[in-house]
Amino acid sequence: LSRKRSPELRKFVQDLMGFQAMTKIAGGDATIANVFQPLISTIPSLGIGRTAKGFVKLLDKDFRAKLPTVYVDFIREIVGEASSTSVMRKASDFAATYSGFTPINKFNNMLASATAKIAIDDYVKAYQKNPTSFRGKYAKDKLRKLFNIDAERLDSLTSSKIDSATAAFAKKSQLQRDYLRDPVFFNDPMLKPLLLFKRFGIRQFL
């Protein structure tokens, strides 16, 4: 919350957001929604076939170990950088862990990352096979829009760039903050309590 506000107001808003997070997660509402998260994020973007392949790939321990993921603490994302000694923060962390919300959120992030890695390989192969065909042009467009990869410069595409694009897609596809995609009002300190757990839905509508 803005430093221009009084410490009392900042603490009240942080506690309010923590209470909302704790009750929604502990009550199961957020956890149930999170179970079906791939249906409205990864699958529509990359397809059910690739998502299924990504799931199978996750069964491989070596593949999981090499998977580039950027998982950000969800409670810290929605409540803010509140002190770890905050009672509400601890209660929210506890609810997220033992309701299954945090493990499911981490799995969804890994699934999105695995699926993205498969998709990038597919699109690169399709473009290289025939750049001027319908599939080639489609692959080029997907690489640019979803992964910020220029198909015409694949010779400079390194494994580190692929890892970065994979992790970025996974982060953006989940319920995590993205300042480049979020409307300005999402980051208004006074509106944050009203938008808690509504970010993804509003973003999809816009």
Side-chain angles (χ1 to χ4, degrees):
L1 194 61
S2 173
R3 295 295 178 185
K4 296 180 181 179
R5 309 293 179 180
S6 69
E8 293 79 10
L9 179 59
R10 290 203 303 269
K11 185 177 185 305
F12 172 76
V13 173
Q14 291 285 4
D15 286 344
L16 175 61
M17 293 175 69
F19 178 76
Q20 289 187 66
M22 179 184 65
T23 54
K24 286 182 180 294
I25 291 173
D29 292 352
T31 303
I32 293 173
N34 216 21
V35 169
F36 298 102
Q37 175 69 18
L39 295 177
I40 57 174
S41 57
T42 306
I43 291 177
S45 297
L46 301 178
I48 189 170
R50 291 192 185 93
T51 305
K53 289 180 182 178
F55 178 82
V56 173
K57 281 283 191 180
L58 289 178
L59 300 177
D60 185 334
K61 184 177 180 180
D62 292 336
F63 178 84
R64 293 199 307 271
K66 297 177 182 178
L67 197 61
T69 56
V70 181
Y71 179 77
V72 181
D73 178 13
F74 183 80
I75 299 302
R76 181 171 296 172
E77 281 281 286
I78 59 175
V79 179
E81 300 294 333
S83 171
S84 60
T85 60
S86 167
V87 174
M88 197 63 68
R89 169 66 187 276
K90 287 185 176 181
S92 299
D93 282 332
F94 180 86
T97 299
Y98 290 97
S99 69
F101 181 90
T102 295
I104 292 171
N105 203 44
K106 287 182 177 179
F107 174 79
N108 287 346
N109 189 269
M110 292 180 65
L111 178 61
S113 185
T115 307
K117 195 169 185 64
I118 292 171
I120 290 175
D121 290 342
D122 287 349
Y123 292 143
V124 168
K125 290 177 182 177
Y127 180 78
Q128 290 179 327
K129 185 175 181 180
N130 192 342
T132 59
S133 68
F134 174 80
R135 291 190 64 186
K137 292 178 181 179
Y138 177 81
K140 177 182 178 181
D141 184 60
K142 283 289 188 178
L143 286 169
R144 178 179 60 83
K145 288 183 177 179
L146 297 179
F147 307 107
N148 195 30
I149 293 176
D150 186 352
E152 296 182 359
R153 301 182 61 184
L154 292 179
D155 55 333
S156 64
L157 184 62
T158 63
S159 59
S160 62
K161 288 183 179 179
I162 293 176
D163 287 349
S164 178
T166 298
F169 173 85
K171 183 176 185 295
K172 287 187 291 185
S173 69
Q174 302 307 303
L175 298 176
Q176 296 174 2
R177 185 180 297 153
D178 186 339
Y179 294 107
L180 297 178
R181 299 178 72 223
D182 288 349
V184 175
F185 66 83
F186 270 11
N187 300 306
D188 186 323
M190 297 306 295
L191 293 179
K192 284 184 179 180
L194 302 176
L195 298 173
L196 193 62
F197 289 102
K198 302 177 180 66
R199 182 183 302 269
F200 191 87
I202 295 175
R203 185 190 287 164
Q204 291 292 94
F205 176 78
L206 295 176

